[in-house]
Every structure is written in C-alpha cells, then in structure tokens.
Amino acid sequence: MRLATIGKLLVLISVIFFTGCATYTSVREHSALDSVAKNIQTVVIAPPQVNIELRVFTGENEPLTDKENTIREQLITVAQSRLKSEGLEVIDFDFAQAIANDDDFAFALTQAKEALNKAEKDLYNGKSVALENKRQFNVSLGPAVNEIAEQTGAEAVLLIDYYGFEKSAGLKTKDIAAGVLFAVLLGGSSAAIAPPSGSFVDLALVDTASGDILWTNRRGGQIVDTSIAEHALNELPDVVWEGEVVADETAEFIEKTDIENAAYQEEATTNDTEVALPSDAS
C-alpha cells in the first residue's frame, strides 16, 4: 500500500515538473460522458478507504486511527455537498450494516476497489494528458460494481482512496539535520527540509450498470485534511445529468403552460368585453 502510494505521488510530481507552463490535468473522463450523464440521477458514496500513519524514527510506523475516522467522515460530507451541488441525488445507504449482513456484498465492494487500483495503471501511466484530451478514456471496472447497484439502487458510485502521514518529533529532527548537512556539503545557504506531513487522494465516479469510470481525479498536498479532496471534486465534469434534464424539461413545460394560460385569459377578457358593449340604438 505504501509503495503504491509513493508511486502515485511520484507520478503526480513528475507531471507537474515536466509539463512546465503547459495546460495539463490529472482529470480523466469517459469518452461518452455527455450521453451517459443524461441517464444518471442517483449516486452513492462508498465508504472511503483511508490510511493515515505516524512515521517514526525507527521506521515502525503507527496508524492514526482517530484521525482516519475523522477524515473518513469529513470526506463523505464534502463529497455529498459537492455532488448535490451538481444536481445529483445522493443516496443515504448504510454500508456498515450491509457489509456485516452480506458477505457477498462485502466481497463485491472489495473487488470494486481492487479493480479501480488496477484501472488507475491505465489511466495514470506516467504520461501527461493535456486538458483538451481529458475526455478520451474508456476504462471499466467490469461487473465488480453491479452488486452496489442492486443493493443501493444507485446509478453511480463514488470511490475514494485517501492516504496521509505525519512525522514524529524525532523524525522531523532527523530530516532537519539531514537537510542542513546536505546544504553544507553542497555549499548552499539554505537547507531543503522534507515536509512534516503529506496526503494524497484518488476519487472515481463509476457507472454501476456498465462499470465504466465516468470521471476520476487525484490530488496531493502537504497537510492531512480534506482540502485536496475538495480541490479534486471542484473539477467534476461539466455535463448535464439526468436530474438537470428533467428540471429543464419541467421548467420548459411550466413556461409553455404559463404562456398558454396567459393567452387564454387574454382571449377570454377580450370576448367578455365584446359581449358587454351596448348595441346601437335603432
């Protein structure tokens, strides 16, 4: 897990370093997203996979369980708010109870997350993607997410994978000493100190019927919080979801009805006026 996360961070750093001022993106979108989105109204947020550790001088890192639980809850809140703002209906589903009562569902959820990890190797293969080319991907998780659709009734699922670390006081001291020593050896006037903390997040919106990854994004930062997820979710696709289609059609129908009613009222008023006019005297 740690090696895989480090690999993701290196890919992200390399993209930033080698692309310079060119407009590149970490977003990947399905090539048929525009048409698929019009049939998606409901989404469910799978329990975020969160791993946060305290890195210590000895190398025997310790899990920060309380912080993991806090970040997990915050990620769900952030995702719910952002998805709703896009016009999507977020289904409130008790994953904990479903997992406890149904081994097949628990296994399916694990398979979906594993399938996403494999799919990311195709989506993020170390090559930079220009902003204008982000919507050209056709990667699927296969039937791994079908069970999620059956259990939750959601047409899409948001998968989140979060990793974070903080360093102990001893490790921070070691990093400072190493940075100063390196600067002295190179004859520099300032020392480059490794950050005391860091985080990385992967998010993917998946069609639960086809298994297609509709949208995915990743972000990294030097603080262990949900800000990187917020930034990533701010790049959700600019498409028309089913709910927006229905809303537009409803608004159009109401507008048309109002116009017809106004015309009818105007015609009725005109007729009443004509009837009320006195006849010419004979």
Side-chain angles (χ1 to χ4, degrees):
M1 172 67 189
R2 183 178 174 184
L3 290 176
T5 303
I6 292 174
K8 292 176 181 178
L9 286 169
L10 291 175
V11 169
L12 192 62
I13 292 171
S14 66
V15 169
I16 295 172
F17 180 79
F18 289 111
T19 56
C21 297
T23 305
Y24 289 83
T25 181
S26 56
V27 174
R28 306 288 187 267
E29 295 177 355
H30 195 276
S31 61
L33 180 57
D34 278 325
S35 59
V36 176
K38 294 178 181 179
N39 296 314
I40 291 181
Q41 168 61 18
T42 57
V43 59
V44 69
I45 303 170
Q49 184 172 322
V50 180
N51 293 280
I52 303 174
E53 62 183 3
L54 176 66
R55 294 183 179 178
V56 297
F57 187 84
T58 61
E60 298 178 357
N61 301 333
E62 306 166 6
L64 297 175
T65 306
D66 289 342
K67 178 153 286 190
E68 288 177 346
N69 293 334
T70 299
I71 292 292
R72 186 177 294 107
E73 292 177 1
Q74 292 175 345
L75 284 170
I76 293 174
T77 300
V78 167
Q80 284 177 337
S81 176
R82 191 65 185 85
L83 291 169
K84 288 179 179 178
S85 71
E86 288 292 318
L88 290 164
E89 177 187 343
V90 180
I91 293 179
D92 186 12
F93 182 77
D94 191 342
F95 276 91
Q97 182 176 351
I99 291 171
N101 297 336
D102 191 336
D103 291 339
D104 290 337
F105 179 67
F107 180 66
L109 192 59
T110 300
Q111 279 190 313
K113 293 179 179 180
E114 291 178 352
L116 178 60
N117 289 335
K118 293 179 181 178
E120 285 174 345
K121 294 180 181 179
D122 294 327
L123 293 167
Y124 299 98
N125 52 12
K127 295 181 180 179
S128 304
V129 173
L131 187 62
E132 62 269 21
N133 296 326
K134 66 180 180 180
R135 192 169 294 182
Q136 61 176 12
F137 295 87
N138 295 282
V139 179
S140 176
L141 303 187
V145 294
N146 294 161
E147 185 68 20
I148 296 176
E150 292 180 11
Q151 291 277 356
T152 67
E155 295 160 326
V157 58
L158 181 68
L159 301 174
I160 305 174
D161 187 0
Y162 183 101
Y163 169 77
F165 72 88
E166 295 180 350
K167 293 180 180 179
S168 66
L171 189 55
K172 291 177 184 177
T173 301
K174 176 185 175 183
D175 286 346
I176 293 173
V180 171
L181 177 60
F182 191 66
V184 171
L185 292 175
L186 295 180
S189 58
S190 59
I193 310 299
S197 62
S199 57
F200 184 87
V201 68
D202 263 319
L203 303 100
L205 188 64
V206 183
D207 185 334
T208 55
S210 65
D212 291 340
I213 297 177
L214 304 178
W215 169 90
T216 184
N217 198 7
R218 53 177 38 178
R219 277 286 184 272
Q222 295 187 6
I223 301 176
V224 182
D225 62 12
T226 59
S227 61
I228 54 174
E230 293 175 23
H231 292 315
L233 286 167
N234 282 337
E235 295 184 277
L236 276 168
D238 184 17
V239 294
V240 178
W241 302 101
E242 182 183 2
E244 295 173 294
V245 173
V246 173
D248 290 342
E249 291 176 346
T250 301
E252 183 179 348
F253 174 78
I254 293 174
E255 182 180 4
K256 182 179 179 181
T257 302
D258 288 343
I259 293 174
E260 291 176 348
N261 287 339
Y264 174 79
Q265 290 293 336
E266 183 178 354
E267 182 180 357
T269 301
T270 301
N271 291 336
D272 290 344
T273 301
E274 292 175 351
V275 171
L277 288 175
S279 59
D280 294 336
S282 55

